[in-house]
């Protein structure tokens, strides 16, 4: 009997030992199954980040590749752009054919409202001296297409298409920032010279010989005998202050508040000197000093300088 009890007890011990091994093997299997799902969200999160980076770049034109150069094109013409054509500037301008522009780069993918920008990808030119022409047409078919010629596109990081003036007399020009520069460069003066407007302005100055040839002011004794301007020496700044409200130049400059500083300079000429300060409230602020008044401006993140005040 005693041997039978010992045999039964031995069998029970083996059964318990076998059951314990099974549990130990089951536990690692459960941990391996739980570990695999934790890898899955990491892959999806990385994919989301890539999608976000791609979606940041909108209104892309041209052929995007790893070796392509790019430049941001900003619309500040005041109207919505529907088509953009870009070509290398012809070597011989006399043989320029405005029909040889190639395809519309936008091709209906988007429209560029005033203030919006596109990113243009292009093959870097083989020569540093190569320049480019840009042609735009508007969604409003009643508006004439505009041309921006002889632009050093390869040296730019952004270019802003602008209009000087309004209506049929408006002049298309551009301002641009180079990769190393901190101030916008304007093509307005070059455009006016190309159109012959600078010569016309000089002709206007030479077409007024009457004041110098007229002897009347020297023959008349009244200006020399009038002592009124010298009778107020106590307040020498009083007379210039009184003349400012009636100054035609100041009145003309006041009409450009809210518009580009380049447009104001095109209308009344360049200031005697300029200076810029970084204001904590308004950011970069410009002060442009003329002979009898000052123009204040603000410069936004895109480098656009807007007139804010005249005094």
């Amino acid at each position: 009997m005693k041997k039978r009890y010992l045999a039964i007890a031995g069998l029970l011990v083996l059964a318990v030992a076998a059951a314990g091994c099974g549990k130990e093997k089951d536990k690692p299997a459960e941990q391996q199954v739980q570990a695999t799902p934790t890898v899955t969200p990491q892959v999806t999160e990385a994919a989301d980040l890539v999608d976000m980076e791609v979606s940041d770049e909108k209104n892309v034109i041209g052929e995007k590749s790893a070796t392509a150069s790019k430049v941001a094109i900003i619309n500040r013409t005041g109207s919505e752009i529907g088509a953009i054509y870009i070509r290398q500037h012809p070597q011989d301008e006399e043989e320029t054919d405005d029909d040889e522009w190639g395809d519309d780069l936008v091709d209906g993918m988007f429209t560029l409202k005033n203030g919006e920008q596109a990113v243009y990808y292009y093959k870097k030119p083989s020569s540093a001296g190569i320049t480019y022409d840009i042609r735009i047409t508007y969604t409003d078919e009643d508006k004439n297409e505009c041309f921006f010629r002889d632009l050093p596109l390869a040296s730019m990081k952004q270019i802003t298409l602008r209009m000087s003036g309004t209506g049929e007399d408006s002049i298309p020009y551009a301002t641009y920032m180079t990769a190393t520069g901190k101030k916008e460069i304007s093509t307005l003066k070059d455009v006016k010279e190309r159109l012959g407007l600078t010569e016309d302005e000089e002709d206007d100055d030479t077409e007024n010989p009457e004041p110098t040839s007229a002897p009347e002011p020297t023959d008349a004794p009244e200006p020399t005998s009038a002592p009124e301007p010298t009778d107020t020496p106590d307040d020498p700044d009083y007379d210039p202050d009184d003349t400012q409200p009636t100054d035609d130049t100041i009145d003309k400059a006041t009409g450009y508040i809210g518009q580009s500083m380049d447009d104001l300079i095109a209308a009344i000429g360049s200031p005697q000197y300029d200076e810029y300060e970084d204001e904590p409230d308004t950011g970069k602020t410009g002060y442009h000093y003329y002979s009898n008044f000052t123009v204040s401006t603000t410069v936004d993140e895109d480098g656009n300088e807007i007139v804010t005040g005249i005094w």
Side-chain angles (χ1 to χ4, degrees), residues 53-61 110 112 117-120:
E53 292 177 359
V54 173
S55 62
D56 286 342
E57 199 167 70
K58 299 178 180 179
N59 301 337
V60 176
I61 57 177
F110 57 85
L112 208 61
Q117 74 173 31
V119 179
Y120 173 50

Side-chain angles (χ1 to χ4, degrees), residues 145-172:
E145 58 186 7
C146 295
F147 301 85
F148 307 83
R149 302 183 187 275
D150 203 12
L151 301 169
L153 206 65
S155 65
M156 302 177 188
K157 64 180 179 181
Q158 75 174 36
I159 178 172
T160 304
L161 308 181
R162 302 180 181 274
M163 298 293 290
S164 174
T166 57
E168 296 181 356
D169 296 331
S170 59
I171 302 173

Side-chain angles (χ1 to χ4, degrees), residues 70-226:
K70 71 175 182 178
V71 60
I73 301 176
I74 304 172
N75 176 21
R76 293 282 183 185
T77 63
S79 301
E80 185 177 20
I81 295 176
I84 299 176
Y85 303 83
I86 300 178
R87 70 177 183 187
Q88 289 190 5
H89 183 69
Q91 297 295 324
D92 189 350
E93 293 191 14
E94 294 182 358
E95 297 180 359
T96 299
D97 186 354
D98 282 337
D99 293 332
E100 297 178 355
W101 281 93
D103 297 329
D104 169 24
L105 296 175
V106 176
D107 195 23
M109 293 184 296
F110 57 85
T111 60
L112 208 61
K113 296 181 175 61
N114 187 52
E116 294 183 343
Q117 74 173 31
V119 179
Y120 173 50
Y121 283 89
Y122 64 99
K123 183 179 179 181
K124 185 175 293 185
S126 57
S127 172
I130 293 178
T131 58
Y132 291 79
D133 298 336
I134 298 177
R135 166 191 165 198
I136 61 172
T137 61
Y138 295 109
T139 55
D140 185 353
E141 296 180 355
D142 292 334
K143 291 184 174 294
N144 295 328
E145 58 186 7
C146 295
F147 301 85
F148 307 83
R149 302 183 187 275
D150 203 12
L151 301 169
L153 206 65
S155 65
M156 302 177 188
K157 64 180 179 181
Q158 75 174 36
I159 178 172
T160 304
L161 308 181
R162 302 180 181 274
M163 298 293 290
S164 174
T166 57
E168 296 181 356
D169 296 331
S170 59
I171 302 173
Y173 73 103
T175 58
Y176 61 89
M177 295 281 290
T178 64
T180 57
K182 297 182 179 180
K183 187 176 181 181
E184 278 195 318
I185 301 172
S186 174
T187 66
L188 183 58
K189 182 178 179 181
D190 295 337
V191 172
K192 286 187 173 182
E193 289 179 353
R194 189 184 300 121
L195 296 175
L197 298 179
T198 302
E199 295 178 359
D200 291 341
E201 291 175 357
E202 293 175 355
D203 292 339
D204 291 340
D205 294 337
T206 58
E207 287 174 359
N208 297 320
E210 292 80 6
T212 55
S213 61
E216 290 79 6
T218 56
D219 294 341
E222 291 79 7
T224 57
S225 61

Side-chain angles (χ1 to χ4, degrees), residues 251-268:
D251 292 341
K252 191 173 184 178
T254 303
Y256 283 85
I257 293 177
Q259 300 185 39
S260 168
M261 182 63 189
D262 291 334
D263 292 344
L264 186 145
I265 292 175
I268 67 172

